[in-house]
Amino acid sequence: MTLALSVRDLTLDYGDLKVLKGVTFDVAAGEVLCVIGPSGSGKSTLLRCVAYLEDHFGGAIRVDGELLGRRERGGKVVPVRGAALRKVQGKVGMVFQHFNLWPHMSALRNVMEPLTVVKRMDREAARALAMENLAKVGVADKADAYPPRLSGGQQQRVAIARALAMQPRVMLFDEATSSLDPELVNEVLGVMRQLAEEGMTMLVVTHEMEFAKKVADRVIFMDGGVIAEEGPPAQLFDHPREARTRAFLSLID
Ligand code: ADP
Ligand code: MG
């Protein structure tokens, strides 16, 4: 079995604040792992480390077997920069709560830009791949629209297309539906579900417990910078072992 992602003893401090205190888990190829837990428990920080938006973490993250941002040399671990870093980092796609689209670029340009800048694709190939991915998430007709003219659900689907077009090994979603109006949540969850069914490897931070129950292969409950409990959704939601998992679930239901 190929491990798409392996996280070993991940730690991260912001000054005196210990945010991640030794987080270890694997995600197999094609697996959907949902991460739940209270606000401030370190879920976003975990995803930011895996996307290498944070580089001062301790422990090891491997994507497709390759160490992220580090290299072992003569028994020592040294940082990696430049093309070698981008190669591994490029295997991770991330979708944010607030979409993070460039407002002054059309939807199409938003998806093309990383393809031309990071992957150095020529414009015609980038345009074709971008259109293919906009179509996949159902917003091909919005290719020429600017983000401020799109609904939140459409903007988030463009953001998903932008991440997918980079052909990542793992997709990360950080509360991708939390800033959407309620009537727009399902169009984005639907796209995420479709990706899961197609076999995309996904690490999904979510408050959508129904989504986690139906789509996740496994669920992690984070509390205070550690994994407090982990298991298949049927077990974690219906028969949680830990008192703090039960307390959390009773608050959100
Ligand atoms: P979650 O996503 O589970 O709500 P976060 O990972 O965003 O949690 O945050 C975990 C903790 O780290 C919180 O106490 C938060 O205030 C702190 N934190 C997050 N980002 C920073 C930062 N850039 N500087 C200092 N503290 C931060
Ligand atoms: Mg968060």
Side-chain angles (χ1 to χ4, degrees):
M1 189 173 64
T2 318
L3 283 184
L5 177 66
S6 117
V7 174
R8 285 288 168 281
D9 201 23
L10 185 68
T11 55
L12 188 130
D13 306 342
Y14 288 118
D16 291 339
L17 183 67
K18 292 190 189 316
V19 175
L20 299 176
K21 301 175 187 168
V23 173
T24 295
F25 64 92
D26 293 327
V27 186
E31 198 176 23
V32 178
L33 181 60
C34 281
V35 183
I36 63 170
S39 180
S41 58
K43 306 181 299 296
S44 292
T45 305
L46 167 64
L47 260 57
R48 291 177 57 80
C49 290
V50 176
Y52 210 68
L53 300 172
E54 304 286 349
D55 65 359
H56 62 292
F57 56 79
I61 298 172
R62 282 188 172 75
V63 188
D64 232 359
E66 288 189 72
L67 206 53
L68 176 66
R70 312 273 194 272
R71 178 179 293 154
E72 284 148 320
R73 188 187 284 155
K76 277 199 178 149
V77 177
V78 296
V80 167
R81 300 275 175 267
L85 169 62
R86 282 196 299 277
K87 180 168 159 270
V88 185
Q89 195 180 19
K91 294 183 178 198
V92 181
M94 183 150 169
V95 176
F96 301 87
Q97 179 177 347
H98 297 291
F99 325 139
N100 297 11
L101 295 175
W102 294 292
H104 60 290
M105 289 182 192
S106 68
L108 177 63
R109 279 281 310 283
N110 264 277
V111 182
M112 285 176 63
E113 193 73 5
L115 298 175
T116 54
V117 174
V118 182
K119 288 215 161 165
R120 304 196 186 284
M121 286 176 76
D122 71 60
R123 295 193 69 77
E124 279 320 301
R127 179 184 302 272
L129 187 56
M131 283 307 301
E132 191 183 304
N133 281 282
L134 287 169
K136 185 180 175 65
V137 300
V139 287
D141 58 328
K142 302 296 176 193
D144 296 326
Y146 285 75
R149 302 295 296 269
L150 299 175
S151 73
Q154 290 164 342
Q155 289 185 58
Q156 193 59 300
R157 285 187 284 155
V158 173
I160 293 172
R162 181 175 60 180
L164 285 178
M166 296 292 283
Q167 298 173 311
R169 191 79 167 89
V170 183
M171 283 281 284
L172 314 179
F173 293 86
D174 191 2
E175 297 192 25
T177 60
S178 291
S179 58
L180 297 176
D181 292 333
E183 72 273 19
L184 303 178
V185 167
N186 280 333
E187 70 183 54
V188 172
L189 291 181
V191 168
M192 291 167 64
R193 188 174 186 153
Q194 174 198 328
L195 292 177
E197 282 165 3
E198 289 171 6
M200 176 63 74
T201 307
M202 295 165 53
L203 182 58
V204 182
V205 172
T206 187
H207 293 300
E208 295 289 337
M209 297 302 149
E210 284 307 312
F211 177 87
K213 279 178 199 173
K214 287 187 193 131
V215 181
D217 296 299
R218 270 185 308 134
V219 181
I220 280 176
F221 170 63
M222 279 190 72
D223 193 26
V226 298
I227 296 176
E229 185 164 354
E230 177 178 353
Q235 184 217 303
L236 195 125
F237 288 113
D238 299 334
H239 308 285
R241 281 190 294 252
E242 300 289 330
R244 46 185 172 167
T245 315
R246 286 196 291 274
F248 173 74
L249 293 174
S250 72
L251 285 175
I252 53 167
D253 274 348

mmCIF file of all heavy atoms in Angstrom, residues 109-157:
data_model
loop_
_atom_site.group_PDB
_atom_site.id
_atom_site.type_symbol
_atom_site.label_atom_id
_atom_site.label_comp_id
_atom_site.label_asym_id
_atom_site.label_seq_id
_atom_site.Cartn_x
_atom_site.Cartn_y
_atom_site.Cartn_z
ATOM 1 N N ARG A 109 -7.870 32.869 -15.345
ATOM 2 C CA ARG A 109 -6.499 33.296 -15.025
ATOM 3 C C ARG A 109 -6.066 32.796 -13.653
ATOM 4 O O ARG A 109 -4.906 32.438 -13.439
ATOM 5 C CB ARG A 109 -6.383 34.826 -15.073
ATOM 6 C CG ARG A 109 -6.221 35.429 -16.457
ATOM 7 C CD ARG A 109 -4.786 35.333 -16.999
ATOM 8 N NE ARG A 109 -3.750 35.800 -16.090
ATOM 9 C CZ ARG A 109 -3.457 37.076 -15.844
ATOM 10 N NH1 ARG A 109 -4.136 38.040 -16.427
ATOM 11 N NH2 ARG A 109 -2.479 37.385 -15.007
ATOM 12 N N ASN A 110 -7.013 32.778 -12.707
ATOM 13 C CA ASN A 110 -6.694 32.267 -11.372
ATOM 14 C C ASN A 110 -6.192 30.831 -11.437
ATOM 15 O O ASN A 110 -5.292 30.452 -10.697
ATOM 16 C CB ASN A 110 -7.928 32.343 -10.461
ATOM 17 C CG ASN A 110 -7.955 33.584 -9.595
ATOM 18 O OD1 ASN A 110 -7.335 33.628 -8.538
ATOM 19 N ND2 ASN A 110 -8.650 34.608 -10.077
ATOM 20 N N VAL A 111 -6.804 30.043 -12.311
ATOM 21 C CA VAL A 111 -6.402 28.635 -12.412
ATOM 22 C C VAL A 111 -5.133 28.490 -13.262
ATOM 23 O O VAL A 111 -4.274 27.649 -12.971
ATOM 24 C CB VAL A 111 -7.562 27.781 -12.981
ATOM 25 C CG1 VAL A 111 -7.163 26.308 -13.050
ATOM 26 C CG2 VAL A 111 -8.818 27.948 -12.123
ATOM 27 N N MET A 112 -5.006 29.348 -14.285
ATOM 28 C CA MET A 112 -3.834 29.259 -15.167
ATOM 29 C C MET A 112 -2.537 29.717 -14.503
ATOM 30 O O MET A 112 -1.461 29.182 -14.788
ATOM 31 C CB MET A 112 -4.052 30.139 -16.418
ATOM 32 C CG MET A 112 -5.008 29.573 -17.426
ATOM 33 S SD MET A 112 -5.268 30.745 -18.789
ATOM 34 C CE MET A 112 -3.617 30.850 -19.509
ATOM 35 N N GLU A 113 -2.651 30.735 -13.647
ATOM 36 C CA GLU A 113 -1.457 31.418 -13.136
ATOM 37 C C GLU A 113 -0.419 30.464 -12.498
ATOM 38 O O GLU A 113 0.752 30.502 -12.878
ATOM 39 C CB GLU A 113 -1.888 32.512 -12.152
ATOM 40 C CG GLU A 113 -0.811 33.492 -11.796
ATOM 41 C CD GLU A 113 -0.474 34.484 -12.921
ATOM 42 O OE1 GLU A 113 -1.159 34.463 -13.982
ATOM 43 O OE2 GLU A 113 0.471 35.262 -12.738
ATOM 44 N N PRO A 114 -0.844 29.598 -11.563
ATOM 45 C CA PRO A 114 0.176 28.692 -10.991
ATOM 46 C C PRO A 114 0.732 27.712 -12.025
ATOM 47 O O PRO A 114 1.878 27.267 -11.897
ATOM 48 C CB PRO A 114 -0.576 27.925 -9.890
ATOM 49 C CG PRO A 114 -1.884 28.614 -9.729
ATOM 50 C CD PRO A 114 -2.158 29.415 -10.962
ATOM 51 N N LEU A 115 -0.070 27.401 -13.034
ATOM 52 C CA LEU A 115 0.407 26.467 -14.068
ATOM 53 C C LEU A 115 1.513 27.108 -14.897
ATOM 54 O O LEU A 115 2.507 26.462 -15.236
ATOM 55 C CB LEU A 115 -0.758 26.055 -14.982
ATOM 56 C CG LEU A 115 -1.900 25.304 -14.304
ATOM 57 C CD1 LEU A 115 -3.038 25.051 -15.284
ATOM 58 C CD2 LEU A 115 -1.403 23.978 -13.732
ATOM 59 N N THR A 116 1.347 28.393 -15.229
ATOM 60 C CA THR A 116 2.368 29.068 -16.037
ATOM 61 C C THR A 116 3.558 29.492 -15.171
ATOM 62 O O THR A 116 4.702 29.388 -15.600
ATOM 63 C CB THR A 116 1.783 30.305 -16.759
ATOM 64 O OG1 THR A 116 1.156 31.160 -15.802
ATOM 65 C CG2 THR A 116 0.778 29.905 -17.807
ATOM 66 N N VAL A 117 3.277 29.936 -13.932
ATOM 67 C CA VAL A 117 4.365 30.475 -13.104
ATOM 68 C C VAL A 117 5.147 29.365 -12.402
ATOM 69 O O VAL A 117 6.377 29.341 -12.450
ATOM 70 C CB VAL A 117 3.804 31.489 -12.070
ATOM 71 C CG1 VAL A 117 4.907 31.943 -11.115
ATOM 72 C CG2 VAL A 117 3.186 32.681 -12.787
ATOM 73 N N VAL A 118 4.431 28.452 -11.753
ATOM 74 C CA VAL A 118 5.123 27.414 -10.975
ATOM 75 C C VAL A 118 5.520 26.241 -11.865
ATOM 76 O O VAL A 118 6.649 25.763 -11.826
ATOM 77 C CB VAL A 118 4.252 26.931 -9.786
ATOM 78 C CG1 VAL A 118 5.007 25.890 -8.959
ATOM 79 C CG2 VAL A 118 3.832 28.110 -8.907
ATOM 80 N N LYS A 119 4.570 25.772 -12.682
ATOM 81 C CA LYS A 119 4.873 24.603 -13.537
ATOM 82 C C LYS A 119 5.480 24.983 -14.882
ATOM 83 O O LYS A 119 5.845 24.127 -15.671
ATOM 84 C CB LYS A 119 3.590 23.787 -13.760
ATOM 85 C CG LYS A 119 3.140 23.036 -12.519
ATOM 86 C CD LYS A 119 2.515 21.696 -12.860
ATOM 87 C CE LYS A 119 2.495 20.791 -11.659
ATOM 88 N NZ LYS A 119 1.590 19.646 -11.857
ATOM 89 N N ARG A 120 5.526 26.300 -15.157
ATOM 90 C CA ARG A 120 6.114 26.810 -16.404
ATOM 91 C C ARG A 120 5.502 26.180 -17.648
ATOM 92 O O ARG A 120 6.190 25.902 -18.642
ATOM 93 C CB ARG A 120 7.629 26.621 -16.402
ATOM 94 C CG ARG A 120 8.287 27.282 -15.195
ATOM 95 C CD ARG A 120 9.787 27.438 -15.373
ATOM 96 N NE ARG A 120 10.419 27.932 -14.156
ATOM 97 C CZ ARG A 120 10.372 29.191 -13.742
ATOM 98 N NH1 ARG A 120 9.720 30.103 -14.448
ATOM 99 N NH2 ARG A 120 10.963 29.564 -12.624
ATOM 100 N N MET A 121 4.191 25.937 -17.590
ATOM 101 C CA MET A 121 3.498 25.441 -18.779
ATOM 102 C C MET A 121 3.307 26.591 -19.765
ATOM 103 O O MET A 121 3.205 27.744 -19.359
ATOM 104 C CB MET A 121 2.110 24.890 -18.394
ATOM 105 C CG MET A 121 2.167 23.552 -17.686
ATOM 106 S SD MET A 121 0.514 23.016 -17.153
ATOM 107 C CE MET A 121 -0.166 22.494 -18.713
ATOM 108 N N ASP A 122 3.255 26.279 -21.056
ATOM 109 C CA ASP A 122 2.949 27.364 -21.996
ATOM 110 C C ASP A 122 1.462 27.711 -21.891
ATOM 111 O O ASP A 122 0.671 26.919 -21.371
ATOM 112 C CB ASP A 122 3.373 26.996 -23.429
ATOM 113 C CG ASP A 122 2.500 25.926 -24.039
ATOM 114 O OD1 ASP A 122 1.276 26.138 -24.161
ATOM 115 O OD2 ASP A 122 3.051 24.865 -24.392
ATOM 116 N N ARG A 123 1.110 28.906 -22.363
ATOM 117 C CA ARG A 123 -0.219 29.446 -22.062
ATOM 118 C C ARG A 123 -1.343 28.587 -22.642
ATOM 119 O O ARG A 123 -2.391 28.429 -22.025
ATOM 120 C CB ARG A 123 -0.346 30.891 -22.559
ATOM 121 C CG ARG A 123 0.587 31.843 -21.822
ATOM 122 C CD ARG A 123 0.236 33.291 -22.104
ATOM 123 N NE ARG A 123 -1.041 33.668 -21.501
ATOM 124 C CZ ARG A 123 -1.207 33.924 -20.194
ATOM 125 N NH1 ARG A 123 -0.186 33.842 -19.364
ATOM 126 N NH2 ARG A 123 -2.384 34.269 -19.734
ATOM 127 N N GLU A 124 -1.141 28.046 -23.822
ATOM 128 C CA GLU A 124 -2.223 27.265 -24.434
ATOM 129 C C GLU A 124 -2.482 25.970 -23.657
ATOM 130 O O GLU A 124 -3.633 25.605 -23.411
ATOM 131 C CB GLU A 124 -1.909 26.962 -25.910
ATOM 132 C CG GLU A 124 -2.223 28.126 -26.825
ATOM 133 C CD GLU A 124 -3.528 28.853 -26.437
ATOM 134 O OE1 GLU A 124 -4.598 28.210 -26.414
ATOM 135 O OE2 GLU A 124 -3.467 30.068 -26.133
ATOM 136 N N ALA A 125 -1.422 25.307 -23.257
ATOM 137 C CA ALA A 125 -1.574 24.073 -22.475
ATOM 138 C C ALA A 125 -2.199 24.398 -21.125
ATOM 139 O O ALA A 125 -3.079 23.676 -20.627
ATOM 140 C CB ALA A 125 -0.215 23.396 -22.289
ATOM 141 N N ALA A 126 -1.769 25.511 -20.524
ATOM 142 C CA ALA A 126 -2.306 25.914 -19.222
ATOM 143 C C ALA A 126 -3.792 26.248 -19.346
ATOM 144 O O ALA A 126 -4.600 25.870 -18.488
ATOM 145 C CB ALA A 126 -1.525 27.111 -18.682
ATOM 146 N N ARG A 127 -4.146 26.936 -20.422
ATOM 147 C CA ARG A 127 -5.550 27.307 -20.628
ATOM 148 C C ARG A 127 -6.422 26.054 -20.764
ATOM 149 O O ARG A 127 -7.488 25.946 -20.165
ATOM 150 C CB ARG A 127 -5.678 28.175 -21.885
ATOM 151 C CG ARG A 127 -7.094 28.618 -22.230
ATOM 152 C CD ARG A 127 -7.116 29.390 -23.545
ATOM 153 N NE ARG A 127 -6.241 30.553 -23.484
ATOM 154 C CZ ARG A 127 -6.628 31.748 -23.034
ATOM 155 N NH1 ARG A 127 -7.865 31.940 -22.638
ATOM 156 N NH2 ARG A 127 -5.775 32.743 -22.995
ATOM 157 N N ALA A 128 -5.938 25.076 -21.516
ATOM 158 C CA ALA A 128 -6.699 23.842 -21.736
ATOM 159 C C ALA A 128 -6.887 23.086 -20.414
ATOM 160 O O ALA A 128 -7.997 22.630 -20.094
ATOM 161 C CB ALA A 128 -5.987 22.963 -22.773
ATOM 162 N N LEU A 129 -5.819 22.988 -19.652
ATOM 163 C CA LEU A 129 -5.897 22.261 -18.377
ATOM 164 C C LEU A 129 -6.786 23.011 -17.384
ATOM 165 O O LEU A 129 -7.559 22.399 -16.630
ATOM 166 C CB LEU A 129 -4.477 22.074 -17.811
ATOM 167 C CG LEU A 129 -4.337 21.203 -16.569
ATOM 168 C CD1 LEU A 129 -4.925 19.812 -16.769
ATOM 169 C CD2 LEU A 129 -2.855 21.093 -16.164
ATOM 170 N N ALA A 130 -6.695 24.337 -17.403
ATOM 171 C CA ALA A 130 -7.530 25.145 -16.514
ATOM 172 C C ALA A 130 -9.006 24.983 -16.872
ATOM 173 O O ALA A 130 -9.850 24.768 -15.983
ATOM 174 C CB ALA A 130 -7.122 26.617 -16.605
ATOM 175 N N MET A 131 -9.324 25.031 -18.152
ATOM 176 C CA MET A 131 -10.721 24.873 -18.582
ATOM 177 C C MET A 131 -11.252 23.486 -18.206
ATOM 178 O O MET A 131 -12.393 23.344 -17.778
ATOM 179 C CB MET A 131 -10.860 25.100 -20.099
ATOM 180 C CG MET A 131 -10.835 26.540 -20.544
ATOM 181 S SD MET A 131 -12.026 27.645 -19.695
ATOM 182 C CE MET A 131 -13.590 26.854 -20.082
ATOM 183 N N GLU A 132 -10.415 22.498 -18.375
ATOM 184 C CA GLU A 132 -10.799 21.125 -18.031
ATOM 185 C C GLU A 132 -11.188 21.044 -16.542
ATOM 186 O O GLU A 132 -12.193 20.423 -16.180
ATOM 187 C CB GLU A 132 -9.588 20.240 -18.318
ATOM 188 C CG GLU A 132 -9.811 18.760 -18.288
ATOM 189 C CD GLU A 132 -8.478 18.054 -18.524
ATOM 190 O OE1 GLU A 132 -7.818 18.318 -19.564
ATOM 191 O OE2 GLU A 132 -8.079 17.267 -17.651
ATOM 192 N N ASN A 133 -10.413 21.700 -15.703
ATOM 193 C CA ASN A 133 -10.678 21.627 -14.264
ATOM 194 C C ASN A 133 -11.828 22.527 -13.832
ATOM 195 O O ASN A 133 -12.570 22.182 -12.910
ATOM 196 C CB ASN A 133 -9.402 21.893 -13.469
ATOM 197 C CG ASN A 133 -8.518 20.661 -13.436
ATOM 198 O OD1 ASN A 133 -8.779 19.723 -12.684
ATOM 199 N ND2 ASN A 133 -7.511 20.626 -14.295
ATOM 200 N N LEU A 134 -12.005 23.651 -14.508
ATOM 201 C CA LEU A 134 -13.189 24.478 -14.226
ATOM 202 C C LEU A 134 -14.450 23.693 -14.600
ATOM 203 O O LEU A 134 -15.457 23.726 -13.874
ATOM 204 C CB LEU A 134 -13.128 25.804 -14.999
ATOM 205 C CG LEU A 134 -12.105 26.825 -14.471
ATOM 206 C CD1 LEU A 134 -11.933 27.977 -15.468
ATOM 207 C CD2 LEU A 134 -12.516 27.369 -13.103
ATOM 208 N N ALA A 135 -14.379 22.974 -15.716
ATOM 209 C CA ALA A 135 -15.537 22.168 -16.136
ATOM 210 C C ALA A 135 -15.803 21.051 -15.133
ATOM 211 O O ALA A 135 -16.958 20.758 -14.794
ATOM 212 C CB ALA A 135 -15.285 21.582 -17.527
ATOM 213 N N LYS A 136 -14.760 20.461 -14.636
ATOM 214 C CA LYS A 136 -14.895 19.351 -13.702
ATOM 215 C C LYS A 136 -15.678 19.755 -12.447
ATOM 216 O O LYS A 136 -16.447 18.968 -11.907
ATOM 217 C CB LYS A 136 -13.494 18.879 -13.310
ATOM 218 C CG LYS A 136 -13.429 17.668 -12.429
ATOM 219 C CD LYS A 136 -11.964 17.361 -12.144
ATOM 220 C CE LYS A 136 -11.832 16.228 -11.176
ATOM 221 N NZ LYS A 136 -12.325 14.949 -11.688
ATOM 222 N N VAL A 137 -15.480 20.988 -11.989
ATOM 223 C CA VAL A 137 -16.183 21.448 -10.790
ATOM 224 C C VAL A 137 -17.426 22.281 -11.139
ATOM 225 O O VAL A 137 -18.033 22.901 -10.270
ATOM 226 C CB VAL A 137 -15.249 22.244 -9.844
ATOM 227 C CG1 VAL A 137 -14.085 21.375 -9.380
ATOM 228 C CG2 VAL A 137 -14.738 23.520 -10.506
ATOM 229 N N GLY A 138 -17.783 22.281 -12.425
ATOM 230 C CA GLY A 138 -19.060 22.869 -12.832
ATOM 231 C C GLY A 138 -19.095 24.380 -12.969
ATOM 232 O O GLY A 138 -20.152 24.997 -12.867
ATOM 233 N N VAL A 139 -17.937 25.023 -13.213
ATOM 234 C CA VAL A 139 -17.938 26.482 -13.366
ATOM 235 C C VAL A 139 -17.245 26.939 -14.664
ATOM 236 O O VAL A 139 -16.766 28.069 -14.742
ATOM 237 C CB VAL A 139 -17.322 27.210 -12.142
ATOM 238 C CG1 VAL A 139 -18.251 27.155 -10.952
ATOM 239 C CG2 VAL A 139 -15.947 26.646 -11.785
ATOM 240 N N ALA A 140 -17.252 26.067 -15.676
ATOM 241 C CA ALA A 140 -16.624 26.449 -16.948
ATOM 242 C C ALA A 140 -17.274 27.704 -17.530
ATOM 243 O O ALA A 140 -16.601 28.532 -18.139
ATOM 244 C CB ALA A 140 -16.718 25.289 -17.936
ATOM 245 N N ASP A 141 -18.568 27.858 -17.290
ATOM 246 C CA ASP A 141 -19.267 29.037 -17.833
ATOM 247 C C ASP A 141 -18.865 30.328 -17.123
ATOM 248 O O ASP A 141 -19.241 31.413 -17.560
ATOM 249 C CB ASP A 141 -20.785 28.834 -17.755
ATOM 250 C CG ASP A 141 -21.261 28.583 -16.336
ATOM 251 O OD1 ASP A 141 -20.508 27.974 -15.544
ATOM 252 O OD2 ASP A 141 -22.392 29.001 -16.009
ATOM 253 N N LYS A 142 -18.123 30.232 -16.037
ATOM 254 C CA LYS A 142 -17.690 31.423 -15.286
ATOM 255 C C LYS A 142 -16.220 31.752 -15.554
ATOM 256 O O LYS A 142 -15.628 32.574 -14.847
ATOM 257 C CB LYS A 142 -17.876 31.201 -13.775
ATOM 258 C CG LYS A 142 -19.290 30.873 -13.355
ATOM 259 C CD LYS A 142 -20.217 32.036 -13.649
ATOM 260 C CE LYS A 142 -21.649 31.654 -13.309
ATOM 261 N NZ LYS A 142 -22.610 32.626 -13.862
ATOM 262 N N ALA A 143 -15.635 31.118 -16.558
ATOM 263 C CA ALA A 143 -14.189 31.267 -16.801
ATOM 264 C C ALA A 143 -13.756 32.729 -16.910
ATOM 265 O O ALA A 143 -12.693 33.101 -16.418
ATOM 266 C CB ALA A 143 -13.796 30.500 -18.065
ATOM 267 N N ASP A 144 -14.580 33.560 -17.544
ATOM 268 C CA ASP A 144 -14.177 34.952 -17.771
ATOM 269 C C ASP A 144 -14.624 35.895 -16.661
ATOM 270 O O ASP A 144 -14.339 37.099 -16.716
ATOM 271 C CB ASP A 144 -14.724 35.442 -19.118
ATOM 272 C CG ASP A 144 -14.104 34.657 -20.266
ATOM 273 O OD1 ASP A 144 -12.921 34.271 -20.147
ATOM 274 O OD2 ASP A 144 -14.814 34.393 -21.262
ATOM 275 N N ALA A 145 -15.335 35.376 -15.671
ATOM 276 C CA ALA A 145 -15.840 36.230 -14.590
ATOM 277 C C ALA A 145 -14.734 36.482 -13.562
ATOM 278 O O ALA A 145 -13.864 35.643 -13.350
ATOM 279 C CB ALA A 145 -17.043 35.573 -13.934
ATOM 280 N N TYR A 146 -14.816 37.652 -12.916
ATOM 281 C CA TYR A 146 -13.877 37.987 -11.842
ATOM 282 C C TYR A 146 -14.467 37.537 -10.515
ATOM 283 O O TYR A 146 -15.686 37.602 -10.322
ATOM 284 C CB TYR A 146 -13.561 39.484 -11.868
ATOM 285 C CG TYR A 146 -12.637 39.836 -13.000
ATOM 286 C CD1 TYR A 146 -13.123 39.883 -14.306
ATOM 287 C CD2 TYR A 146 -11.285 40.049 -12.790
ATOM 288 C CE1 TYR A 146 -12.271 40.144 -15.368
ATOM 289 C CE2 TYR A 146 -10.426 40.326 -13.850
ATOM 290 C CZ TYR A 146 -10.920 40.369 -15.133
ATOM 291 O OH TYR A 146 -10.073 40.605 -16.178
ATOM 292 N N PRO A 147 -13.626 37.092 -9.578
ATOM 293 C CA PRO A 147 -14.134 36.530 -8.322
ATOM 294 C C PRO A 147 -15.191 37.375 -7.612
ATOM 295 O O PRO A 147 -16.187 36.808 -7.134
ATOM 296 C CB PRO A 147 -12.862 36.350 -7.480
ATOM 297 C CG PRO A 147 -11.813 36.065 -8.504
ATOM 298 C CD PRO A 147 -12.155 36.925 -9.683
ATOM 299 N N PRO A 148 -15.027 38.716 -7.539
ATOM 300 C CA PRO A 148 -16.059 39.467 -6.797
ATOM 301 C C PRO A 148 -17.466 39.350 -7.409
ATOM 302 O O PRO A 148 -18.446 39.635 -6.724
ATOM 303 C CB PRO A 148 -15.561 40.918 -6.884
ATOM 304 C CG PRO A 148 -14.091 40.804 -7.115
ATOM 305 C CD PRO A 148 -13.916 39.573 -7.949
ATOM 306 N N ARG A 149 -17.546 38.922 -8.675
ATOM 307 C CA ARG A 149 -18.852 38.776 -9.319
ATOM 308 C C ARG A 149 -19.427 37.373 -9.147
ATOM 309 O O ARG A 149 -20.528 37.089 -9.609
ATOM 310 C CB ARG A 149 -18.746 39.093 -10.825
ATOM 311 C CG ARG A 149 -18.234 40.483 -11.118
ATOM 312 C CD ARG A 149 -19.206 41.550 -10.640
ATOM 313 N NE ARG A 149 -20.488 41.485 -11.343
ATOM 314 C CZ ARG A 149 -20.742 42.164 -12.461
ATOM 315 N NH1 ARG A 149 -19.836 42.951 -12.986
ATOM 316 N NH2 ARG A 149 -21.929 42.064 -13.047
ATOM 317 N N LEU A 150 -18.663 36.494 -8.511
ATOM 318 C CA LEU A 150 -19.122 35.106 -8.336
ATOM 319 C C LEU A 150 -19.697 34.903 -6.941
ATOM 320 O O LEU A 150 -19.303 35.583 -5.985
ATOM 321 C CB LEU A 150 -17.948 34.141 -8.535
ATOM 322 C CG LEU A 150 -17.283 34.164 -9.916
ATOM 323 C CD1 LEU A 150 -16.065 33.235 -9.924
ATOM 324 C CD2 LEU A 150 -18.271 33.767 -11.008
ATOM 325 N N SER A 151 -20.591 33.947 -6.802
ATOM 326 C CA SER A 151 -21.083 33.573 -5.467
ATOM 327 C C SER A 151 -19.951 32.890 -4.701
ATOM 328 O O SER A 151 -18.955 32.449 -5.293
ATOM 329 C CB SER A 151 -22.261 32.605 -5.594
ATOM 330 O OG SER A 151 -21.793 31.328 -5.991
ATOM 331 N N GLY A 152 -20.110 32.785 -3.397
ATOM 332 C CA GLY A 152 -19.098 32.104 -2.591
ATOM 333 C C GLY A 152 -18.883 30.670 -3.044
ATOM 334 O O GLY A 152 -17.746 30.192 -3.102
ATOM 335 N N GLY A 153 -19.958 29.996 -3.375
ATOM 336 C CA GLY A 153 -19.844 28.603 -3.815
ATOM 337 C C GLY A 153 -19.079 28.490 -5.126
ATOM 338 O O GLY A 153 -18.259 27.581 -5.299
ATOM 339 N N GLN A 154 -19.349 29.455 -6.036
ATOM 340 C CA GLN A 154 -18.620 29.447 -7.312
ATOM 341 C C GLN A 154 -17.148 29.776 -7.084
ATOM 342 O O GLN A 154 -16.266 29.147 -7.672
ATOM 343 C CB GLN A 154 -19.251 30.455 -8.275
ATOM 344 C CG GLN A 154 -20.621 30.006 -8.767
ATOM 345 C CD GLN A 154 -21.413 31.137 -9.402
ATOM 346 O OE1 GLN A 154 -21.122 32.327 -9.209
ATOM 347 N NE2 GLN A 154 -22.433 30.773 -10.172
ATOM 348 N N GLN A 155 -16.878 30.747 -6.212
ATOM 349 C CA GLN A 155 -15.478 31.101 -5.920
ATOM 350 C C GLN A 155 -14.731 29.906 -5.339
ATOM 351 O O GLN A 155 -13.589 29.630 -5.707
ATOM 352 C CB GLN A 155 -15.405 32.265 -4.924
ATOM 353 C CG GLN A 155 -15.824 33.585 -5.515
ATOM 354 C CD GLN A 155 -15.622 34.738 -4.539
ATOM 355 O OE1 GLN A 155 -14.521 34.974 -4.071
ATOM 356 N NE2 GLN A 155 -16.689 35.436 -4.222
ATOM 357 N N GLN A 156 -15.387 29.197 -4.426
ATOM 358 C CA GLN A 156 -14.701 28.066 -3.814
ATOM 359 C C GLN A 156 -14.473 26.956 -4.836
ATOM 360 O O GLN A 156 -13.444 26.273 -4.785
ATOM 361 C CB GLN A 156 -15.480 27.557 -2.587
ATOM 362 C CG GLN A 156 -14.716 26.595 -1.700
ATOM 363 C CD GLN A 156 -13.422 27.150 -1.131
ATOM 364 O OE1 GLN A 156 -12.519 27.523 -1.876
ATOM 365 N NE2 GLN A 156 -13.323 27.208 0.190
ATOM 366 N N ARG A 157 -15.410 26.793 -5.775
ATOM 367 C CA ARG A 157 -15.195 25.768 -6.800
ATOM 368 C C ARG A 157 -14.034 26.153 -7.724
ATOM 369 O O ARG A 157 -13.266 25.287 -8.160
ATOM 370 C CB ARG A 157 -16.485 25.499 -7.559
ATOM 371 C CG ARG A 157 -17.444 24.665 -6.687
ATOM 372 C CD ARG A 157 -18.669 24.228 -7.432
ATOM 373 N NE ARG A 157 -19.622 25.322 -7.598
ATOM 374 C CZ ARG A 157 -20.526 25.382 -8.573
ATOM 375 N NH1 ARG A 157 -20.593 24.422 -9.460
ATOM 376 N NH2 ARG A 157 -21.358 26.394 -8.633
#
